[in-house]
Amino acid sequence: MQLSEQELVRREKLGKLRELGINPYPADLYPVNHTSKQIKEGFEEGKRVVIAGRLMMIKVQGKASFAQLQDADGKIQVYFNRDEICQGEDKTLYNDIFKKLIDFGDFVGIEGELFVTKVGEKSVRVKNFTLLSKALKPLPLPKEKDGIVYDAFTDPEQRYRQRYADLVVNPQVKDVFVKRTKLFNAMRQFFNDAGYFEVETPVLQPIPGGAAARPFITHHNALDVPLYMRIANELYLKRLIVGGFDGVYEFSKNFRNEGMDRTHNPEFTAMEIYVSYKDYNWMMDFCEQLLEHCAMAVNGTTQATFGDHEVDFKAPYARVTMADSIKHFTGFDITGKTEDEIRQAAIDLGIEVDNTMGKGKLIDEIFGEKCEGNYIQPTFITDYPKEMSPLCKEHRDNPELTERFELMVCGKEIANAYSELNDPIDQRERFEHQLKLAAKGDDEATEFIDYDFLRALEYGMPPTSGMGIGMDRLIMFLTNNQSIQEVLFFPQMRPEKKQVALTDEAKAVLDTLKKAEKLTLADLKLQSGLSNKKWDKSIKELTKNNLAKVEKTEEGLFVEVV
């Protein structure tokens, strides 16, 4: 493992601390009795406090120093005075330990008293401090000069990989996850107040059911059987309705072995709720009341900003049938049309189709391409064709449709709900039709029949309405984040490239190259501002470590990032 110069220095300091008899990682309880927020809210000059956190932005000024201490609630200024800390002749604690062996990022405990500085800042005058944990790697703190911020920790890939550092140096990131927890708590409270029961269902399943998605597959050695990571929990929750629960819900970790982009992660969180003796009309009312409640709990208002849009989650929401939506935006009426007619309409609309697509998939493509993106304010799209909804009850007024809605916000689906299919014979036929579509090549059709679920339905399931909400996507809307990676603590990432310790000159050249992606060798050298000797050393360092490559073309020598 190659260490940077700063990392080597910190390890030297670690050794010196131990030589002085100081344990840099003590096991003792530290008796914290205040947080930075409590100090500011209940400030009393002269009050004694015990606090702990990371030391940030240390500014040493001879025998007196200022620093910021950052804890879970925020930051507070702390003031170190040599003669306050070292009452006797021995000034080692300040002169040697604090000034020379403590670094920003170290965790310290502080005993002190509150005072206000000459410029009016609430602060803690340190009477004693204890090293609680020595940081061996410097935090990627931004630098500021003349009001301009440099080296901010903003690269998304580094932030997601090192979320622990991201949370420390970018405090606003923490606010997103505080709001995420508020969302879950608000939703849970809403369901509990309604009398519904939170449950847990299996993550490892013998059959991946409840959705059409490619599963992750594992193997149980003792049983010698394949098992599948949950793609949805729907069929298990319905089994509980069969078993006599009137209303059940679950915050479910689901796993789908599919692509990754700004709105999809292989591991995600969904909430599903099922309530007996209800239908999808009731669920629409319930959904809009739920989301209004959640928006207020998270942001204190029903309004939320998402990109360029102002969205209002105040109930009620508009309701539009899928057929009316397609007719409005394309002029084509899907009602009563055959699969061939719908395929031709899709082609005429410039939508790419193939022979594996059945009627439902074709309609879904038309809606997705031509309609979905137009719905900015929360809108219920209702009454989906039967081919699109194998677990949904047939519409009471039109046997070609189902009693289903999806809630659209800013052109994205965040909720999906049905009047649940509880006819076991109809359900079996729908499953069998899905198998035929899968055999035809439709990658969104399910390849499995859950015979145990069919057996459960044969015992009788009452009329039921169910709804699923993508929790990650919902919190994206409530916190104005365009990428799902911003609302997941630890999103899935590609394998990390081996980190190479570079000289400062080589880092500067690489940063210049990254901004341009590709430059002539002469331009890159000119922009680097390095002497010939340092330039030669830096470019060799980058090419040797396979971070940059030089290519000879008819136009000259070019350098680009590998």
Side-chain angles (χ1 to χ4, degrees):
M1 180 177 65
Q2 287 185 307
L3 298 176
S4 69
E5 184 179 345
Q6 288 193 54
E7 289 171 315
L8 290 170
V9 169
R10 286 181 180 235
R11 279 165 170 76
E12 288 177 12
K13 292 180 180 181
L14 183 74
K16 290 178 181 178
L17 285 165
R18 285 184 164 137
E19 289 172 8
L20 290 168
I22 297 172
N23 181 356
Y25 306 104
D28 316 51
L29 173 149
Y30 192 77
V32 174
N33 61 21
H34 281 77
T35 67
S36 59
K37 182 179 179 182
Q38 290 169 341
I39 288 173
K40 291 174 181 177
E41 290 180 348
F43 188 84
E44 296 177 29
E45 191 151 6
K47 183 178 180 179
R48 301 282 295 198
V49 297
V50 181
I51 58 175
R54 287 184 187 272
L55 277 184
M56 311 286 280
M57 296 176 64
I58 301 171
K59 190 173 183 180
V60 177
Q61 299 173 320
K63 66 177 185 178
S65 303
F66 282 96
Q68 281 188 328
L69 184 134
Q70 180 171 304
D71 61 15
D73 285 351
K75 296 178 180 178
I76 187 79
Q77 181 169 272
V78 290
Y79 171 66
F80 293 82
N81 183 288
R82 184 189 65 190
D83 297 330
E84 291 274 359
I85 294 170
C86 309
Q87 297 285 333
E89 294 297 320
D90 185 358
K91 307 298 182 182
T92 303
L93 185 59
Y94 182 83
N95 288 341
D96 295 332
I97 296 174
F98 175 73
K99 287 178 67 175
K100 298 177 182 178
L101 302 180
I102 298 294
D103 292 295
F104 74 86
D106 289 353
F107 278 89
V108 297
I110 288 175
E111 301 171 49
E113 62 181 33
L114 305 185
F115 77 106
V116 179
T117 66
K118 292 178 180 179
V119 295
E121 185 166 356
K122 296 173 181 177
S123 306
V124 179
R125 179 180 285 109
V126 180
K127 296 295 185 179
N128 190 29
F129 73 91
T130 304
L131 177 63
L132 300 177
S133 181
K134 180 69 182 169
L136 299 184
K137 186 180 285 290
L139 289 165
L141 284 172
K143 303 174 185 64
E144 187 173 336
K145 184 178 181 181
D146 300 327
I148 300 174
V149 176
Y150 299 90
D151 298 331
F153 193 55
T154 56
D155 178 71
E157 182 170 339
Q158 290 302 313
R159 288 181 48 240
Y160 303 152
R161 287 192 192 281
Q162 300 181 44
R163 182 68 83 186
Y164 35 84
D166 186 32
L167 290 165
V168 175
V169 303
N170 294 319
Q172 72 280 6
V173 171
K174 188 175 180 180
D175 293 340
V176 172
F177 294 98
V178 170
K179 288 185 174 183
R180 183 184 174 106
T181 295
K182 286 182 178 180
L183 171 63
F184 279 75
N185 290 343
M187 197 171 282
R188 182 175 278 114
Q189 177 194 5
F190 192 87
F191 296 150
N192 291 345
D193 289 348
Y196 305 136
F197 194 65
E198 185 171 8
V199 298
E200 293 181 308
T201 61
V203 174
L204 291 175
Q205 301 180 351
I207 292 175
R214 184 182 295 114
F216 288 93
I217 305 172
T218 186
H219 187 84
H220 193 289
N221 292 333
L223 297 177
D224 193 24
V225 295
L227 290 174
Y228 302 87
M229 299 286 282
R230 173 170 59 196
I231 60 173
N233 55 349
E234 176 171 346
L235 302 187
Y236 282 92
L237 292 175
K238 288 181 183 177
R239 286 171 168 91
L240 297 178
I241 297 294
V242 170
F245 285 94
D246 280 346
V248 292
Y249 71 93
E250 181 178 17
F251 292 101
S252 165
K253 278 289 187 184
N254 295 344
F255 307 85
R256 298 184 181 179
N257 195 358
E258 298 176 340
M260 294 163 48
D261 56 32
R262 292 173 66 83
T263 58
H264 294 89
N265 193 67
E267 176 184 352
F268 63 97
T269 304
M271 184 290 304
E272 294 205 21
I273 183 168
Y274 292 82
V275 185
S276 57
Y277 311 113
K278 310 297 183 186
D279 66 4
Y280 80 136
N281 292 310
W282 176 89
M283 189 61 83
M284 273 187 270
D285 296 337
F286 185 77
C287 177
E288 60 193 11
Q289 292 161 15
L290 168 68
L291 294 185
E292 179 179 326
H293 168 80
C294 289
M296 286 296 299
V298 171
N299 289 325
T301 174
T302 60
Q303 296 180 331
T305 300
F306 188 71
D308 297 329
H309 304 298
E310 292 293 329
V311 178
D312 195 343
F313 286 95
K314 176 80 175 169
Y317 305 158
R319 304 181 184 193
V320 182
T321 69
M322 174 164 277
D324 285 346
S325 177
I326 292 175
K327 186 175 181 180
H328 175 73
F329 288 109
T330 71
F332 178 69
D333 188 353
I334 62 173
T335 306
K337 297 297 192 295
T338 65
E339 181 178 312
D340 287 340
E341 289 173 319
I342 294 171
R343 178 176 281 104
Q344 187 57 53
I347 294 170
D348 293 342
L349 290 166
I351 297 170
E352 189 174 334
V353 301
D354 58 56
N355 292 330
T356 69
M357 295 180 180
K359 187 175 180 180
K361 176 66 173 173
L362 291 165
I363 293 171
D364 191 32
E365 287 293 311
I366 293 173
F367 178 78
E369 289 283 334
K370 301 298 181 180
C371 310
E372 191 173 73
N374 295 296
Y375 295 104
I376 304 304
Q377 297 304 318
T379 304
F380 293 115
I381 304 299
T382 70
D383 302 347
Y384 282 54
K386 185 183 290 186
E387 293 83 357
M388 296 177 66
S389 313
L391 296 165
C392 187
K393 184 171 284 189
E394 183 180 283
H395 198 285
R396 67 196 74 177
D397 299 323
N398 185 341
E400 291 189 356
L401 304 177
T402 56
E403 297 199 345
R404 173 185 178 184
F405 73 77
E406 288 187 331
L407 178 64
M408 299 292 168
V409 179
C410 291
K412 300 291 184 181
E413 171 227 329
I414 61 170
N416 185 23
Y418 307 156
S419 292
E420 300 296 335
L421 180 57
N422 61 343
D423 178 340
I425 295 174
D426 188 1
Q427 183 65 85
R428 184 181 295 268
E429 291 172 352
R430 302 267 198 101
F431 278 156
E432 290 171 348
H433 179 64
Q434 286 287 301
L435 287 183
K436 292 177 182 177
L437 291 175
K440 186 180 175 182
D442 187 342
D443 59 2
E444 294 193 9
T446 181
E447 300 179 53
F448 300 89
I449 293 181
D450 190 335
Y451 290 103
D452 180 69
F453 173 66
L454 291 175
R455 177 169 58 188
L457 284 186
E458 289 174 354
Y459 281 108
M461 185 176 85
T464 298
S465 183
M467 176 173 65
I469 291 178
M471 298 300 292
D472 306 315
R473 190 169 289 181
L474 178 56
I475 197 62
M476 287 169 63
F477 287 121
L478 292 175
T479 58
N480 193 17
N481 277 297
Q482 309 289 317
S483 170
I484 192 172
Q485 286 82 10
E486 292 288 352
V487 300
L488 301 174
F489 269 131
F490 304 106
Q492 193 66 42
M493 304 290 291
R494 297 183 186 278
E496 188 172 7
K497 290 182 180 179
K498 184 179 178 181
Q499 295 297 306
V500 178
L502 298 174
T503 61
D504 290 341
E505 290 84 1
K507 284 180 184 177
V509 173
L510 184 60
D511 287 343
T512 301
L513 189 56
K514 281 181 176 179
K515 291 173 184 176
E517 292 188 1
K518 188 175 182 179
L519 282 171
T520 67
L521 190 65
D523 285 343
L524 182 58
K525 180 180 179 181
L526 183 64
Q527 290 185 34
S528 73
L530 298 174
S531 65
N532 288 336
K533 186 175 180 181
K534 287 185 176 180
W535 160 255
D536 289 340
K537 184 178 178 181
S538 297
I539 196 67
K540 286 177 181 177
E541 192 175 346
L542 294 177
T543 55
K544 179 182 176 182
N545 287 299
N546 200 32
L547 295 171
K549 64 179 180 180
V550 180
E551 285 189 334
K552 186 176 182 179
T553 70
E554 292 179 356
E555 299 174 352
L557 292 174
F558 283 84
V559 191
E560 60 181 299
V561 176
V562 174

